[in-house]
Amino acid sequence: MSGEVGAFKATIRKKARYVNQDLCTGCGSCAEKCPTMVVDAYNAGMGKRKAIYKYFPQGIPSVFTIDAPECRQLGQGKKCGVCAKVCQAKAIDFDQKDAIIEIEAGAIILATGYDVFDPSVIPEYGYTTINNVVTALEFERLLSASGPTAGHLDRPSDLLMEKDLEEGEKEVKKLARQVKSLEDKHGKTSADVVAAVKSGSAAVDDELIQWAQAAEKLAALEERVATLQKKTAAVQTAKKLAFIQCVGSRDFRFNRFCSSYCCMHSVKEAMIANEHDNAVNSSIFCMDLRAVGRGFEEYKLRGGKQANIKYVRGRVAEITEDEANNPIVWYESTTTQKVEHETFDMVVLATACVPTEGTAKVAELFGVELESNGFFKTHPLAPLNTTRPGIFTCGCAQGPMDIPESVAQASSAAARAAEVVAPLATVEKQKAVG
């Protein structure tokens, strides 16, 4: 990027989609037939998607993209091309390359969003080690009808158990076929072979030893699968939830600032969980609940009265786990002034809003400054103006804020850019007329 206000020049790399967006109709036939499943980042890694996919449902343009490193043909060098065969619009283009685009602009808006704080750096909260401790974003996807559980509050530990059961059942079928084949071939039962091998009979050869081992493994696996089937049959959705506030926020070790939207986000998630299932009870652990927007305090109180939400004033010190994979929250209650603990089905961490990865590189590229927390620096009396004329910012690129405030700032930033561009357009028009 180069130039100055009213006359910026930018060189942009447009990465190859391997799908011609002018031809793609977004019908989804390609994704339906694609044989490759990969981890879905949009669902916070809790679900899977195809190697050809849409970035997200509301994306514009609404066309598909091939994940090149995961694609069998592009990334693995294997024969496939199923998507190209089923695409009636002939939009698949495996030879597509990255394109370099040069544009001229009168003003620039930096709207780079934010990243979610990684709570695994706080080991006492057990994120990544306790399955049923999730982040607010992961919980948001669990609540979504288009999410990995179709909106049901299934616990991650139960989902892993169901996956275990599915893999175990496949392995049982595979081993059972092998053992049956050997029984048919030799006209003996597996029980006789196992007994012969254990007794050390001289007639036992390598094939019979392998057969006995396979039979014993099958029996052990069948027993394990039967246990898993009983456990999964008894599984219920999460009924008792804990929300832990200020995870990575208002903490001198990580981020000194308040992320502003987390309190109301937790209240909203607890209320939606209760709407899904009226048996759901939630406890929100906080130092103080910052409901500063118009109607926010009333919303918070409504959650307590109508959605079974309990507000607990106390700082959570540690989260442990019992034998049933239930998280146990240990905290110091500021009301009783005692250390207390409570068991929950699932714990949700309200993680901090932090600058996106690469913000420092963007700031260097555009010649703007960052403030002490790593967000784009703005003027106190002109909160959309960066330190370089003609370059503006909005939303969480400027600092933590909720959706309504981000939307309002986006409109304001567009208006500020128009203030720069409109006079230039008038001059150009006058030149053309003259």
Side-chain angles (χ1 to χ4, degrees), residues 240 242 244 283 285 310 312 314-322 326-333 336-344 347:
K240 194 176 179 184
I244 315 300
S283 296
F285 293 85
K310 180 174 70 172
V312 184
R315 185 72 169 171
V316 173
E318 187 182 12
I319 301 171
T320 57
E321 187 179 29
D322 65 14
N326 296 312
I328 305 169
V329 174
W330 297 80
Y331 66 100
E332 181 186 3
S333 169
T336 62
Q337 295 187 342
K338 291 179 181 178
V339 173
E340 299 180 9
H341 67 277
E342 193 173 349
T343 304
F344 293 90
V347 172

Side-chain angles (χ1 to χ4, degrees), residues 94-154:
F94 291 119
D95 297 322
Q96 196 177 82
K97 305 293 182 186
D98 290 1
I100 302 299
I101 301 169
E102 292 186 354
I103 62 170
E104 294 181 357
I108 295 170
I109 299 172
L110 303 176
T112 52
Y114 70 98
D115 282 343
V116 175
F117 174 77
D118 179 9
S120 62
V121 298
I122 310 178
E124 55 268 31
Y125 283 173
Y127 182 70
T128 69
T129 58
I130 301 174
N131 289 324
N132 294 321
V133 174
V134 299
T135 65
L137 184 60
E138 290 169 345
F139 189 72
E140 184 86 23
R141 295 312 303 155
L142 289 173
L143 285 175
S144 173
S146 63
T149 60
H152 299 293
L153 277 182
D154 297 328

Side-chain angles (χ1 to χ4, degrees), residues 274-350:
N274 182 260
E275 287 173 6
H276 281 225
D277 183 351
N278 294 137
V280 170
N281 293 274
S282 300
S283 296
I284 298 180
F285 293 85
C286 55
M287 293 184 285
D288 46 59
L289 209 68
R290 293 184 165 179
V292 296
R294 183 180 178 184
F296 285 10
E297 181 66 18
E298 291 79 4
Y299 187 82
K300 180 194 85 171
L301 294 174
R302 181 154 61 90
K305 290 175 183 176
Q306 299 177 8
N308 299 332
I309 301 175
K310 180 174 70 172
Y311 301 103
V312 184
R313 194 172 187 277
R315 185 72 169 171
V316 173
E318 187 182 12
I319 301 171
T320 57
E321 187 179 29
D322 65 14
E323 293 178 357
N325 299 121
N326 296 312
I328 305 169
V329 174
W330 297 80
Y331 66 100
E332 181 186 3
S333 169
T334 55
T335 357
T336 62
Q337 295 187 342
K338 291 179 181 178
V339 173
E340 299 180 9
H341 67 277
E342 193 173 349
T343 304
F344 293 90
D345 295 332
M346 196 187 300
V347 172
V348 183
L349 305 178

Side-chain angles (χ1 to χ4, degrees), residues 29-30 32-35 73 79-87 92 94:
S29 297
C30 52
E32 187 181 335
K33 298 295 183 183
C34 176
Q73 184 154 325
K79 287 186 178 180
C80 183
V82 171
C83 54
K85 292 172 187 173
V86 300
C87 179
I92 307 299
F94 291 119

